[in-house]
Amino acid sequence: MISLYTAATPNGYKASIALEEMGLDYQVHHLDLSAGEQKLPEFIALNPNGRIPAIVDHDNDDFVVFESGAILLYLAEKTNSFLGNDAKQRSQVIQWLMFQMGGVGPMMGQANVFYRYFPDKIPAAIERYQREGRRLFEVMDSQLANNSFLAGDNYSIADMATWPWVKGYEWSGISIDGLSNLQRWVDVIAQRPACHKGIVNPPPSTLSDEERAKQIQKMVGK
Ligand SMILES: N[C@@H](CCC(=O)N[C@@H](CS)C(=O)NCC(=O)O)C(=O)O
């Protein structure tokens, strides 16, 4: 059994999608980010960075893993799946996983902050992160012109890491117009039953866009 400490966000969904894809037993511990539960000492003891997601693998001496990319790698190695079959394939999966962790996640995260949550609207900052998000989308679109998935022919943890972010492009205010390969990839992955289950565990917010933005504004200010 794995305990998953998470919330209804793209980084959180990466972990629940992977757990679903790999058929692992897991229990969700839903943290209220706007109430600051991720900063409580009990959670900091698991993840010193005070951010979701984190997992505890009770079948491996209660081993703790934080950082969503590290969680995906740990689970892929544990189950020997979604990581490629030889050294070159594994490297390709890891390259695209790092592309997500160092690029898509941080840039779209900042696009969300400045476009949706930050109390002052700073056009230069909004434009900077949305433009960088669009540029990364174009990189993916080119890669997907010749590959079914980000790291080649096989669906991998790189796709699991990236899809929950890209599918939220409207929330980030970043267009995918003209990026037909990226759109195809978003739609194909959306058909996977594990993705359906992963993105409702925990369930998405039922707040309106405005209420949700206000709730997260409180968090951004902390
Ligand atoms: N690099 C980290 C980022 C995690 C992260 O930023 N999580 C956000 C939710 S998507 C969070 O916990 N935010 C709460 C906060 O900033 O206090 C990872 O990939 O796990």
Side-chain angles (χ1 to χ4, degrees):
M1 168 67 76
I2 290 179
S3 291
L4 168 63
Y5 294 83
T6 191
T9 75
N11 284 324
Y13 288 141
K14 290 177 195 175
S16 38
I17 288 171
L19 288 158
E20 291 289 344
E21 291 283 9
M22 297 173 194
L24 291 164
D25 272 344
Y26 68 105
Q27 188 175 21
V28 168
H29 301 265
H30 188 180
L31 273 65
D32 182 346
L33 300 183
S34 60
E37 287 182 353
Q38 72 281 19
K39 308 295 182 210
L40 293 175
E42 297 86 332
F43 186 67
I44 296 288
L46 299 178
N47 180 357
N49 195 29
R51 295 197 158 190
I52 63 93
I55 60 167
V56 180
D57 186 350
H58 302 295
D59 298 326
N60 189 15
D61 303 324
D62 291 342
F63 187 66
V64 180
V65 190
F66 66 88
E67 278 295 320
S68 57
I71 292 171
L72 297 187
L73 278 168
Y74 175 81
L75 295 175
E77 282 178 347
K78 179 182 169 79
T79 56
N80 198 19
S81 60
F82 300 109
L83 189 51
N85 298 323
D86 60 30
K88 283 184 186 162
Q89 277 180 20
R90 285 165 73 92
S91 172
Q92 283 164 341
V93 170
I94 291 169
Q95 288 168 51
W96 284 99
L97 179 65
M98 296 299 154
F99 173 87
Q100 191 289 317
M101 292 299 295
V104 177
M107 293 305 126
M108 292 189 73
Q110 292 305 313
N112 292 348
V113 164
F114 286 106
Y115 183 54
R116 293 280 177 185
Y117 316 135
F118 207 63
D120 304 318
K121 292 291 164 230
I122 307 170
I126 296 171
E127 205 184 303
R128 149 98 188 129
Y129 290 111
Q130 289 181 337
R131 197 178 329 109
E132 183 60 5
R134 171 71 193 198
R135 189 190 68 75
L136 294 166
F137 282 6
E138 289 171 4
V139 173
M140 285 187 271
D141 190 67
S142 299
Q143 171 71 358
L144 292 165
N146 303 312
N147 297 282
S148 303
F149 296 100
L150 287 174
D153 289 339
N154 299 318
Y155 175 71
S156 74
I157 53 170
D159 302 291
M160 295 177 208
T162 314
W163 181 76
W165 279 102
V166 176
K167 81 177 187 58
Y169 63 89
E170 280 175 351
W171 180 252
S172 313
I174 304 173
S175 161
I176 64 165
D177 285 358
L179 305 180
S180 57
N181 305 303
L182 188 65
Q183 182 71 69
R184 186 245 323 137
W185 172 87
V186 169
D187 295 345
V188 164
I189 297 178
Q191 304 301 317
R192 297 184 68 89
C195 291
H196 277 280
K197 288 193 194 147
I199 57 167
V200 291
N201 212 357
S205 168
T206 51
L207 299 175
S208 69
D209 281 2
E210 201 179 312
E211 287 167 331
R212 186 172 154 209
K214 270 200 195 126
Q215 194 188 47
I216 302 174
Q217 262 170 21
K218 277 200 283 173
M219 189 179 84
V220 170
K222 277 189 184 139

